[in-house]
Amino acid sequence: MSVSKIDTVDDFVNFIGYPQLTVIHFSTDWAEQCPQITIVLEELSALPEIKSSNTKFGVCNAESLSEISLKYKVDSVPTVLLFKNGAQLDRVDGADVAQITSKVKSLSFGKSTPTTITPKQPLEERLKALINRHTVMIFMKGNRDAPRCGFSRTLIQIINETGVQYDTFDILTDEEVRQGLKEYSDWPTYPQLYVKGELIGGLDIIKELKANGELESTLKA
Ligand SMILES: N[C@@H](CCC(=O)N[C@@H](CS)C(=O)NCC(=O)O)C(=O)O
């Protein structure tokens, strides 16, 4: 057994309909922690006790299968979802190897299908995972193609000029994140730009860094 690649929505639906445990890693090409989780799943799939339980392992690109990601509220990678008979049993958001290992081991031997549970991830953990989703992470109103506030639009224009890669999160889609991140980072407004999980600041700070010629080095820190 190894980790199968899931490329289409149909593949995904067929895969999770399996009567034994199916473990799916939502990944992206750029997220640093994803390759580590794929290795963990490869290792788990090779364990004799897991092999004998017929547990299946898959990996899909969370961005290519955005429809599925949205449905299962996968808003950070890596995320691992566990299914049986098409029902979601559990999930692990973030590269928490210990939790993934223990959930795969315990659920692969359940005789009957446990009740569907979707434990709510503590907000702080979710915020940390979101902040670290990309080296340069921008929390904004709208997205890069359709900013929904002048401050966010100007910030995107400035960052686009640098050619630096980044990811965005639309805080208008999630009130919990919108309010929670203000408190977590002690910064009351959006946009908010993070580099390697550290808050750099909002539009005023980014403009200042640009004016001082420090923007690119800050983004590439
Ligand atoms: N001076 C701020 C301007 C940003 C700003 O004032 N944002 C407001 C309006 S878009 C905001 O996020 N308010 C809180 C909210 O909407 O939750 C900066 O440098 O980023």
Side-chain angles (χ1 to χ4, degrees):
M1 275 282 201
S2 62
V3 180
S4 314
K5 223 165 161 289
I6 298 170
D7 292 319
T8 66
V9 172
D10 282 350
D11 284 353
F12 179 87
V13 172
N14 289 334
F15 203 83
I16 66 166
Y18 190 67
Q20 304 302 329
L21 182 68
T22 57
V23 181
I24 302 188
H25 170 206
F26 285 73
S27 153
T28 62
D29 296 337
W30 45 258
E32 282 166 19
Q33 291 168 317
C34 287
Q36 184 205 348
I37 298 307
T38 301
I39 292 169
V40 167
L41 295 191
E42 296 272 4
E43 285 172 358
L44 280 171
S45 74
L47 294 176
E49 68 266 34
I50 302 282
K51 268 185 175 173
S52 66
S53 72
N54 288 325
T55 296
K56 287 206 301 178
F57 294 84
V59 59
C60 69
N61 186 306
E63 290 175 327
S64 312
L65 293 189
S66 54
E67 204 181 309
I68 300 288
S69 300
L70 201 67
K71 175 167 179 192
Y72 291 99
K73 299 194 172 15
V74 173
D75 48 21
S76 64
V77 290
T79 289
V80 171
L81 301 186
L82 300 100
F83 294 89
K84 204 178 260 187
N85 280 324
Q88 187 188 331
L89 305 184
D90 211 337
R91 67 186 291 150
V92 180
D93 295 77
D96 189 336
V97 175
Q99 265 209 64
I100 294 169
T101 305
S102 100
K103 287 184 175 179
V104 169
K105 284 187 175 171
S106 63
L107 289 170
S108 58
F109 295 107
K111 283 201 172 63
S112 59
T113 302
T115 346
T116 303
I117 41 163
T118 316
K120 204 162 163 7
Q121 191 188 21
L123 180 60
E124 191 173 319
E125 238 176 74
R126 218 181 134 219
L127 294 176
K128 268 190 207 158
L130 277 176
I131 287 169
N132 287 286
R133 191 162 85 173
H134 196 281
T135 312
V136 178
M137 192 65 204
I138 299 171
F139 291 81
M140 62 182 289
K141 295 186 177 178
N143 59 51
R144 69 182 79 197
D145 299 319
R148 290 178 59 193
C149 150
F151 300 113
S152 290
R153 180 175 299 108
T154 309
L155 182 123
I156 290 294
Q157 276 164 1
I158 296 174
I159 303 303
N160 282 349
E161 283 165 13
T162 67
V164 167
Q165 299 284 304
Y166 61 90
D167 193 12
T168 64
F169 182 88
D170 180 359
I171 48 102
L172 295 176
T173 63
D174 195 319
E175 193 58 23
E176 198 183 26
V177 171
R178 178 177 181 174
Q179 301 309 339
L181 194 57
K182 288 180 188 174
E183 197 178 324
Y184 179 80
S185 295
D186 199 13
W187 193 270
T189 55
Y190 293 97
Q192 292 184 12
L193 185 144
Y194 295 77
V195 175
K196 291 191 177 153
E198 294 291 325
L199 176 67
I200 304 299
L203 177 61
D204 292 346
I205 302 280
I206 297 302
K207 279 181 170 169
E208 225 174 274
L209 288 168
K210 185 185 167 184
N212 297 340
E214 290 166 3
L215 181 58
E216 299 209 6
S217 59
T218 305
L219 297 175
K220 289 172 184 162

